[in-house]
Amino acid sequence: MTMAEKVEIVEVGPRDGLQNLSCFIETRQKVDLIRHLASAGLQDIQVGGFVSPRAIPQFGNIAEVSRTVIESIHGVRFNALVPNVKGAVDALSCGIRHLSFVFSVSEAHNKNNVGKTPEESLQELAAILDLLPSYRGAAVTVDLATTFGCPFIVKVPEERVLLYVQKVHEMGVRRITLCDTVGFGNPRQVQRIATTCLSSFPDVTFRCHFHNTRGLGCANALAAYELGIESFDTAIGGLGGCPFAPGATGNTATEDMAFMFSEMGVETGISIPRLLETVRFLREIIPSVKLESSLARAGLPGAEHKGCSM
Ligand code: COA
Ligand code: ZN
């Protein structure tokens, strides 16, 4: 097949990246981070999670952050993670129109993360889908967590992944993100799952979300890209991880993924120097957090002397 000359990179740092930090980031700093990301060329940004502040205190200011960025930053599609109807209603009332509804293929992880079985989560999804027509322009992407492995049951049967893809497809969802929540996936596995998904559901736009826990984030993304997946979630500075998945660590760093594609001649719309400035800004707001970013550590080729070591 002919490979796309362009990929879409969806920044999930303000959500996945910040949710695992122990320190609370004030609204102003979150908004500034999102502004930096937008000025680096990121056009799709996940602003946070409309989740219980008891589960994730970091998102205690999600409504304020959402309203402020929607009002003051233009030309960006803002999306937010929602785990249930309440989260969806709250997000929609703040003006968010792109919802990422998360549930996990693994029952053990879903229970730990959102307190529900996958079937119960599907009931929440059905209720959210019923709500959408009342909000102009509203759309849902389903994030299928633990597609490539689960910290509780380790191996997730591929048939189970397909079963849930099929169920959400039957409900009318046409955007699905295959998520490697804990970085267990490998490129061959990605090829198998992506091949079956793409051939069985040609009317679905699939995205991939790879944590770089074991160093395979970009390798997995490349495997998916070569099969025709053109959209990827990443987090600035390689931050991230689900607090309800033991052993979860950072997402693939936005700058590493953008660098890979841009070196390959595949357009991302992102300015890498500006992205590196954003990493520097991130270091200013969370100086004690170690960032997992190869590009920020090494610098652009030919600029070794300028690398900002971390
Ligand atoms: N946002 C804010 N508050 C919420 C909420 C949401 N989306 N959903 C439920 N709540 C509140 C309820 O209003 C209720 O509040 P009250 O006790 O003051 O009346 C309380 O949370 C308990 O509601 P319940 O429906 O029993 O939820 P729960 O305690 O079983 O928690 C979730 C379920 C989904 C809200 C919680 O597990 C959660 O927020 N998980 C987020 C996980 C996450 O973000 N993981 C990382 C991303 S993968
Ligand atoms: Zn994640």
Side-chain angles (χ1 to χ4, degrees), residues 52-306:
S52 157
R54 274 206 293 271
I56 306 197
Q58 184 66 263
F59 298 129
N61 56 356
I62 182 65
E64 200 186 359
V65 169
S66 301
R67 288 210 177 89
T68 313
V69 296
I70 289 169
E71 242 171 60
S72 63
I73 305 173
H74 302 286
V76 174
R77 277 181 299 273
F78 292 114
N79 74 85
L81 179 133
V82 301
N84 56 13
V85 176
K86 173 166 168 48
V89 169
D90 291 352
L92 290 162
S93 10
C94 286
I96 296 282
R97 287 294 174 266
H98 298 270
L99 306 177
S100 294
F101 176 80
V102 65
F103 80 99
S104 196
V105 176
S106 152
E107 177 154 335
H109 179 253
N110 206 51
K111 281 202 159 150
N112 213 44
N113 195 35
V114 298
K116 292 184 166 54
T117 64
E119 294 301 323
E120 287 165 342
S121 279
L122 287 177
Q123 289 168 18
E124 296 286 321
L125 175 62
I128 294 172
L129 292 171
D130 284 346
L131 278 176
L132 291 191
S134 321
Y135 295 87
R136 207 185 144 119
V140 168
T141 296
V142 165
D143 282 6
L144 222 46
T146 67
T147 287
F148 300 94
C150 163
F152 302 106
I153 59 167
V154 187
K155 294 242 181 269
V156 172
E158 287 169 20
E159 312 77 72
R160 205 175 150 84
V161 173
L162 291 171
L163 175 72
Y164 282 109
V165 171
Q166 191 186 334
K167 286 187 183 214
V168 299
H169 182 264
E170 277 166 9
M171 294 167 79
V173 172
R174 294 293 179 268
R175 291 186 175 272
I176 299 176
T177 306
L178 305 170
C179 303
D180 189 8
T181 312
V182 279
F184 284 5
N186 68 73
R188 285 259 158 90
Q189 180 190 13
V190 170
Q191 282 166 347
R192 275 197 309 276
I193 294 179
T195 302
T196 319
C197 283
L198 291 166
S199 60
S200 312
F201 303 95
D203 56 347
V204 170
T205 302
F206 286 98
R207 186 189 300 162
C208 284
H209 174 113
F210 294 120
H211 280 256
N212 195 37
T213 318
R214 292 169 180 81
L216 298 185
C218 277
N220 287 336
L222 185 60
Y225 166 73
E226 287 183 338
L227 288 168
I229 290 183
E230 297 167 16
S231 182
F232 299 93
D233 283 353
T234 58
I236 188 78
L239 288 178
C242 172
F244 304 100
T249 62
N251 276 94
T252 310
T254 305
E255 54 279 17
D256 290 349
M257 183 95 79
F259 175 72
M260 174 180 80
F261 282 119
S262 109
E263 290 292 292
M264 288 167 59
V266 178
E267 203 188 308
T268 63
I270 295 171
S271 153
I272 294 180
R274 283 202 175 176
L275 212 45
L276 290 174
E277 282 168 26
T278 308
V279 176
R280 282 191 279 274
F281 174 74
L282 186 63
R283 291 172 71 200
E284 280 168 26
I285 57 178
I286 44 169
S288 59
V289 177
K290 186 174 179 288
L291 302 182
E292 299 292 342
S293 161
S294 301
L295 190 69
R297 190 174 56 245
L300 285 163
E304 282 77 5
H305 57 290
K306 289 193 213 143

Side-chain angles (χ1 to χ4, degrees), residues 6-75:
K6 196 167 179 244
V7 290
E8 172 188 76
I9 294 187
V10 178
E11 172 63 44
V12 296
R15 194 277 299 173
D16 202 332
L18 303 185
Q19 73 187 9
N20 219 8
L21 298 180
S22 48
C23 52
F24 182 75
I25 315 287
E26 300 297 335
T27 301
R28 194 174 48 79
Q29 289 182 316
K30 285 184 184 169
V31 171
D32 283 349
L33 175 61
I34 292 168
R35 201 183 305 284
H36 270 90
L37 290 162
S39 69
L42 284 149
Q43 291 184 344
D44 288 272
I45 302 179
Q46 192 164 79
V47 295
F50 281 82
V51 300
S52 157
R54 274 206 293 271
I56 306 197
Q58 184 66 263
F59 298 129
N61 56 356
I62 182 65
E64 200 186 359
V65 169
S66 301
R67 288 210 177 89
T68 313
V69 296
I70 289 169
E71 242 171 60
S72 63
I73 305 173
H74 302 286

